[in-house]
Amino acid sequence: MKIALLGNPNTGKSTVFNLLTGMRQHIGNFPGVTVEKKVGKINVDNEEYELIDFPGTYSIYPRSKDEEVVYRSLCNNQSVNYPDAIIVVVDASNLERNLLFFSQAYDLQLPIMMVLNMTDLAKKKHKEYNLDEIQKLFPEALIVEANARAGMGIDRIQSALLMFKGREGDTFQTEVIAMVDNIAQQEIETEARFKRIASILPSIEVIRLKKDSKSNKLDRILVHPVWGYAIFTFILFILFQFIFEFASIPMDLIDSSFSSLSDFLASSLPNGVFTDLITQGIVPGIGGVVIFIPQIALLFLFIAILEETGYLSRVVFIMDRLVRPFGLNGKSMVPLLSSVACAIPGIMSARTIPDWKERMITIMVAPLMSCSARIPVYTLLIALVIPNKLLLGFISLQGLVLFGLYSLGTFSALGMAVILKLLIKTKKKGFLMLEMPSYKLPSPRNVLIIVWEKVRIFVWDAGKIILAISIVLWVLATYGPGDRMSEAGEKAQIEYSEKGYSEVEVDQYVASVELENSYIGIMGKTIEPIIEPMGYDWKIGISLIASFAAREVFVGSMATIYAVQDDGEANRPLIEKMRSEKRSDGAPVYTLASGVSLMVFYVFAMQCMATLAVVKRETKSWKWPLIQMGYMGVLAYLGAWITFIILS
Amino acid sequence: MTQILSKIKNGETAIVCQIEESSLKVKLMEMGLIEGKELQVLYRAPFSGPMAIDVGGYVLSLRKDEANLIMVELKPNKA
């Protein structure tokens, strides 16, 4: 039996879903749209129920992309998601508004259950409802009281599942549900429903006392012109502290375990192409995905907690006016913040922005926020060309440059947003209309499920593309036209052996020479004239191409080219080698100018296939990802070129 | 005297008279803003940002543009 789980936002719908289905959830997409579809299984008395979690909506009429699926699935009995029965979660502390949607759902003539949730909150707001009167209004509905946050009422919902009964034609309102584009009829219908609800409300709800004074007091601080922003800044500070400082511990661990795994496999498997593919292509490819999990998990842990407590909607509230001149919505804050870890979950979370234009702009600029994959590149280049000095005795120059790179990304995101705001034409006006939920303690279960989902999205969506490209790049780096590679390799072998180098060193030089003569090496050399104005040579060119799948590959690729052991975070031997690298005229390759130019290039360039794929899926056309790659490429090239000219 | 919601000061209570015809009308109604509904302006975001109003016990935030669509009648404060 297929059951649709519906309800207004902030009614505790997902808590109900999580409690009913536990971790037995499967996430897919609604057909034709990119809206996430969560399906869970419930077993009661040997009967299996399939519970589909629909996006929260205030009415059956959609206002954002997310909400369209509710109308399309429920108002069309040919839809694959057309349910056999529906459960609507209703916020007992706000019956009037919640009953609008319930009454619409009731009139669909499907077997229906009302879960009267948040009964505790209703009590706190001194509201009492009359269950008998509600039952009289909806005689054919099952009504169950619950307080899902405290885990109460779940057993009642489960037993009620067995009692779903067929409908006999009772309706709340005779007006039929309007067509999705018939706004006039929707108005009439909505108004008529509310009139009826308002007229019966006094009989079903008694309000003893008004005002939720605690929330109100807290709000006065959290949206205060000074304190509000100060608190938000402080929270951001803590968040970045976690991402940068604490995430590095598990990340180092993952890094070293994957390289030992590669080493172990390389020594235990028989020599050959297949082993090389595993140890140099697949294992590092998977490692390159897994390494970002700690940062992504930590960031979403924070965001989920902020969301669960209700604070996030206050952030939207105070930021909306500030970001509106940039064509963004207060709701763009979450996508942009998430993009600091990874643009992929960030872009996907832009779905909650109801306005198409504001959503598009958010998606288009999100990858300019410096993501975690850029950190290894920044770290290497900063250590290479920025002196480790203190400014004014206490500000680290290197830290300042890193901060500058993040700021450059953020400000250019805002700048691009303004340009896009002028370029994208639309008749519709954006809107906010946001419910500010009461503050509550986050439920650990909900938080963990959110973190798990985001990590899963990253590993699955980004991971498979990063892995696929890693393998392609491995092929390009392992093979070259004809015998060119092996000949060059053999020559190097003889040459460096004669010079008396140790076996390990000879191997490193051979690897370097082979890479130079591989397909990717040839590609790097081919683009040298194009990248020369920015101060780069073909070795950098190879690494630029190699890091197209994932930016951090730049570091590993450089290590191979310079024939040094990749020793993880510190990169000491690599930095020494790069420092001594000279051009044919004897001038060093890596100067302040070329180094900073390369940093600027990485701030802007869309070096991430996985992001492009997600943008394509979210916007349902190749147009947007191509524009995005184009404008970011132009920014990267011009930015790096100008930087190089100014600094040299 | 009717006036637009965005002109109502924090802490004041008003009653919805009418919502101007626009594409947002249905959406505003769905949020509970219907004729005769009593609401209280709670607070505003800085820099003339959105305003938060209490609509029958829940808090709704609206941009100024959205609040401009709502005609209300000020309810005298019962001190």
Side-chain angles (χ1 to χ4, degrees):
Chain A
M1 190 153 147
K2 205 184 277 177
I3 301 172
L5 184 67
L6 304 160
N8 280 192
N10 305 310
T11 52
K13 188 170 65 72
S14 47
T15 311
V16 170
F17 182 80
N18 291 339
L19 281 174
L20 279 174
T21 61
M23 288 302 274
R24 296 169 65 209
Q25 305 181 3
H26 168 83
I27 303 172
N29 274 322
F30 284 102
V33 282
T34 52
V35 177
E36 215 167 73
K37 171 182 158 186
K38 284 205 286 181
V39 181
K41 296 252 188 309
I42 319 171
N43 280 315
V44 186
D45 281 5
N46 295 325
E47 183 88 40
E48 196 178 68
Y49 298 89
E50 194 188 58
L51 192 64
I52 306 176
D53 189 22
F54 280 80
T57 54
Y58 291 105
S59 138
I60 197 131
Y61 306 121
R63 68 169 87 194
S64 71
K65 264 182 69 68
D66 257 34
E67 301 186 3
E68 274 173 38
V69 294
V70 175
Y71 184 90
R72 277 201 235 154
S73 309
L74 296 180
C75 295
N76 171 11
N77 56 16
Q78 302 299 310
S79 157
V80 284
N81 291 307
Y82 189 74
D84 302 308
I86 41 190
I87 299 178
V88 181
V89 182
V90 165
D91 175 359
S93 74
N94 191 353
L95 276 178
E96 183 176 14
R97 202 200 58 211
N98 277 262
L99 284 183
L100 170 77
F101 180 58
F102 184 81
S103 77
Q104 289 174 329
Y106 184 77
D107 288 353
L108 293 171
Q109 297 302 321
L110 283 158
I112 190 166
M113 184 196 310
M114 175 195 287
V115 174
L116 207 49
N117 196 24
M118 312 223 274
T119 48
D120 56 332
L121 190 65
K123 267 203 200 94
K124 252 191 219 157
K125 288 188 180 173
H126 301 282
K127 286 183 171 182
E128 275 171 30
Y129 49 85
N130 187 333
L131 209 57
D132 296 338
E133 291 295 326
I134 302 176
Q135 185 71 71
K136 266 188 217 161
L137 274 178
F138 304 104
E140 292 178 5
L142 298 165
I143 302 181
V144 178
E145 287 173 286
N147 185 3
R149 201 158 267 274
M152 277 151 64
I154 295 306
D155 46 341
R156 284 195 290 271
I157 299 174
Q158 283 174 341
S159 32
L161 286 173
L162 302 166
M163 305 188 315
F164 268 124
K165 46 181 184 256
R167 297 291 298 267
E168 285 156 28
D170 180 63
T171 55
F172 179 79
Q173 180 89 30
T174 41
E175 269 100 342
V176 285
I177 302 287
M179 298 295 284
V180 71
D181 49 2
N182 188 348
I183 305 273
Q185 181 59 32
Q186 288 177 17
E187 260 177 53
I188 295 168
E189 204 249 356
T190 306
E191 193 157 15
R193 276 180 199 277
F194 263 127
K195 277 214 176 110
R196 170 116 201 262
I197 292 167
S199 71
I200 49 169
L201 202 63
S203 70
I204 59 170
E205 188 182 60
V206 187
I207 302 169
R208 302 247 174 259
L209 227 161
K210 257 187 115 180
K211 288 288 116 45
D212 182 6
S213 53
K214 204 180 91 200
S215 245
N216 210 337
K217 258 181 222 153
L218 203 48
D219 271 343
R220 288 196 195 275
I221 303 167
L222 293 179
V223 307
H224 188 273
V226 178
W227 295 119
Y229 295 108
I231 291 168
F232 181 48
T233 312
F234 179 70
I235 288 175
L236 283 185
F237 174 77
I238 304 270
L239 183 121
F240 283 101
Q241 191 68 25
F242 265 90
I243 298 182
F244 294 133
E245 295 300 323
F246 304 134
S248 63
I249 303 162
M251 286 171 82
D252 289 347
L253 199 71
I254 291 169
D255 196 29
S256 56
S257 12
F258 269 91
S259 44
S260 9
L261 179 65
S262 269
D263 292 346
F264 168 75
L265 290 174
S267 57
S268 50
L269 292 172
N271 277 342
V273 180
F274 185 65
T275 302
D276 285 354
L277 172 67
I278 291 175
T279 59
Q280 295 166 18
I282 295 174
V283 173
I286 295 174
V289 175
V290 174
I291 193 151
F292 293 114
I293 292 178
Q295 280 183 339
I296 289 170
L298 271 176
L299 185 94
F300 281 103
L301 180 71
F302 257 84
I303 292 182
I305 291 173
L306 295 183
E307 188 166 15
E308 278 274 305
T309 55
Y311 176 67
L312 214 52
S313 58
R314 274 70 184 181
V315 171
V316 172
F317 184 74
I318 60 170
M319 294 306 290
D320 187 65
R321 183 67 190 92
L322 299 189
V323 298
R324 269 188 80 191
F326 303 102
L328 300 168
N329 188 300
K331 290 182 181 167
S332 308
M333 292 309 293
V334 175
L336 293 182
L337 264 182
S338 314
S339 298
V340 175
C342 174
I344 291 158
I347 285 167
M348 293 174 70
S349 59
R351 285 172 192 168
T352 55
I353 302 173
D355 178 60
W356 177 81
K357 179 172 170 176
E358 288 170 340
R359 176 167 175 258
M360 276 310 172
I361 296 177
T362 307
I363 290 176
M364 291 297 276
V365 304
L368 283 173
M369 304 296 289
S370 280
C371 64
S372 34
R374 284 159 167 120
I375 298 174
V377 183
Y378 290 167
T379 319
L380 172 71
L381 294 171
I382 286 176
L384 183 64
V385 298
I386 306 292
N388 190 4
K389 272 197 308 205
L390 289 182
L391 280 184
L392 304 170
F394 67 99
I395 305 168
S396 150
L397 187 59
Q398 295 189 333
L400 197 65
V401 171
L402 184 64
F403 179 74
L405 294 172
Y406 272 84
S407 310
L408 180 64
T410 310
F411 284 113
S412 51
L414 293 176
M416 255 337 274
V418 173
I419 296 172
L420 289 166
K421 182 191 169 192
L422 298 174
L423 292 180
I424 301 176
K425 295 272 177 261
T426 169
K427 270 187 227 139
K428 275 200 193 153
K429 229 171 152 212
F431 63 93
L432 185 72
M433 251 186 262
L434 174 78
E435 179 181 351
M436 311 247 267
S438 320
Y439 292 105
K440 40 190 174 259
L441 278 176
S443 125
R445 188 193 189 101
N446 286 355
V447 169
L448 286 180
I449 287 181
I450 294 176
V451 171
W452 161 245
E453 270 169 21
K454 299 294 173 177
V455 168
R456 204 194 56 92
I457 287 170
F458 168 75
V459 172
W460 218 234
D461 288 19
K464 61 186 179 199
I465 294 175
I466 296 176
L467 183 60
I469 297 182
S470 308
I471 293 171
V472 171
L473 290 170
W474 173 81
V475 171
L476 291 177
T478 313
Y479 295 94
D483 295 331
R484 187 171 158 169
M485 245 178 97
S486 49
E487 278 167 18
E490 278 159 26
K491 229 176 88 189
Q493 176 90 39
I494 297 161
E495 188 189 335
Y496 286 100
S497 305
E498 278 173 358
K499 281 185 185 166
Y501 283 92
S502 75
E503 201 176 318
V504 177
E505 284 168 316
V506 172
D507 281 350
Q508 286 165 356
Y509 280 109
V510 171
S512 166
V513 169
E514 281 183 346
L515 182 62
E516 187 183 337
N517 287 288
S518 68
Y519 286 111
I520 215 169
I522 295 165
M523 283 158 79
K525 280 185 175 163
T526 318
I527 65 165
E528 192 173 32
I530 310 172
I531 57 175
E532 221 188 338
M534 301 186 283
Y536 311 159
D537 64 0
W538 60 267
K539 294 184 179 178
I540 299 176
I542 291 176
S543 299
L544 288 185
I545 296 171
S547 65
F548 191 67
R551 297 170 172 100
E552 78 282 0
V553 170
F554 178 84
V555 179
S557 162
M558 281 311 223
T560 313
I561 295 169
Y562 285 106
V564 290
Q565 203 70 55
D566 188 354
D567 72 338
E569 200 104 324
N571 293 310
R572 255 172 259 107
L574 176 58
I575 289 173
E576 275 162 33
K577 263 285 177 49
M578 287 170 79
R579 270 204 193 119
S580 55
E581 179 77 358
K582 298 275 191 295
R583 291 177 190 284
S584 44
D585 61 4
V589 173
Y590 297 96
T591 59
L592 183 67
S594 65
V596 177
S597 156
L598 202 49
M599 292 179 215
V600 170
F601 185 88
Y602 271 93
V603 168
F604 290 129
M606 174 49 118
Q607 298 272 89
C608 184
M609 273 299 281
T611 302
L612 287 175
V614 167
V615 172
K616 194 253 156 188
R617 215 182 55 196
E618 293 290 311
T619 61
K620 276 190 270 175
S621 90
W622 275 111
K623 180 179 144 195
W624 296 104
L626 287 177
I627 295 175
Q628 191 171 42
M629 193 168 83
Y631 94 75
M632 290 177 78
V634 170
L635 272 186
Y637 194 84
L638 290 181
W641 182 53
I642 293 168
T643 308
F644 184 69
I645 291 175
I646 292 175
L647 290 180
S648 54
Chain B
M1 190 194 76
T2 60
Q3 48 189 324
I4 48 178
L5 176 59
S6 51
K7 291 274 187 283
I8 304 293
K9 293 191 192 77
N10 290 356
E12 287 184 330
T13 307
I15 291 168
V16 178
C17 301
Q18 198 196 332
I19 298 175
E20 232 150 281
E21 290 304 324
S22 75
S23 56
L24 293 182
K25 186 173 174 181
V26 183
K27 302 294 146 207
L28 288 165
M29 285 165 66
E30 284 165 3
M31 301 307 288
L33 297 167
I34 38 164
E35 261 174 61
K37 184 86 206 171
E38 186 179 301
L39 42 86
Q40 188 187 19
V41 177
L42 296 175
Y43 46 82
R44 290 172 153 87
F47 314 112
S48 57
M51 64 198 295
I53 54 175
D54 180 295
V55 187
Y58 90 98
V59 183
L60 173 69
S61 66
L62 294 173
R63 280 180 176 173
K64 224 175 154 186
D65 295 351
E66 292 148 24
N68 282 341
L69 297 170
I70 302 164
M71 303 296 295
V72 295
E73 188 152 358
L74 193 62
K75 211 177 154 189
N77 260 349
K78 287 168 275 175

